[in-house]
Amino acid sequence: IACVKGSAKGAALEYITPIVSACGDMSATKTGALIVIKTEGNLQEIIDSGVRVDAIISTPLVKNLFFKNSPLHDGAVIADNRIVAAKCVLPSTRSEVPISFGMRHRAALGASETTDAIIVVVSEETGNISVAHNGKINVGLSSTELKAELMRLSAPEEPHAKTAKAS
């Protein structure tokens, strides 16, 4: 499975654009969503908790997976350069969180505390879009802000010019 951080920005855009578009549409209709974007870490245990899928990421597919009458709508979708699994179970955070946080936000934070993945949440109560990464959650993003955040988090690590290996 290819890793996002190893991808070029152009390749990252291939999955970011349909995810952002789907999240914007789901936000407008208050359709809850939980999307885990794989980076370098192993998500096999989470993938195994759901239903395997092997599909090109597209806006209609992402929206369909979270449609409330879809049998796969509960749980998280795991995305790499493709949709890998749906209906996946994420660990809930053990951290103190605002009472306004529902199960999706708690699961997003929990997954961000135990993996290096990027987790996107759309609240079905408010329509707010959030991104969790490294144990922190950024709540209330616009589609434009979501795209910028996903581009930033998906960008390949820049090598540090002044760091040299000792021989």
Side-chain angles (χ1 to χ4, degrees):
I1 295 176
C3 294
V4 171
K5 289 205 182 217
S7 303
K9 272 197 178 189
L13 265 177
E14 288 179 24
Y15 79 83
I16 288 175
T17 300
I19 288 174
V20 169
S21 177
C23 288
D25 291 349
M26 291 185 294
S27 171
T29 60
K30 293 186 178 176
T31 301
L34 190 54
I35 303 167
V36 178
I37 301 168
K38 185 182 184 308
T39 53
E40 294 177 345
N42 185 344
L43 298 179
Q44 197 59 50
E45 189 175 326
I46 293 171
I47 291 166
D48 290 344
S49 74
V51 176
R52 290 290 293 197
V53 177
D54 179 22
I56 295 169
I57 299 170
S58 68
T59 299
L61 178 59
V62 172
K63 288 169 54 177
N64 192 65
L65 287 170
F66 290 108
F67 178 68
K68 70 177 182 171
N69 292 327
S70 161
L72 300 178
H73 85 280
D74 281 331
V77 163
I78 311 302
D80 195 340
N81 293 324
R82 298 175 64 84
I83 297 207
V84 178
K87 201 173 183 168
C88 296
V89 178
L90 301 183
S92 188
T93 185
R94 297 188 188 275
S95 303
E96 289 289 321
V97 295
I99 197 151
S100 62
F101 278 19
M103 289 308 298
R104 281 188 186 87
H105 290 85
R106 292 171 192 272
L109 266 174
S112 80
E113 292 164 351
T114 58
T115 73
D116 65 350
I118 303 160
I119 301 93
V120 181
V121 182
V122 179
S123 168
E124 73 180 273
E125 286 82 24
T126 64
N128 282 344
I129 300 171
S130 306
V131 173
H133 187 252
N134 286 339
K136 294 182 175 63
I137 191 163
N138 192 353
V139 182
L141 302 175
S142 67
S143 291
T144 303
E145 292 166 329
L146 173 61
K147 185 172 188 172
E149 186 73 351
L150 293 180
M151 290 296 295
R152 183 183 71 78
L153 293 171
S154 299
E157 298 281 326
E158 294 296 322
H160 298 288
K162 296 191 179 188
T163 305
K165 286 187 179 177
S167 353

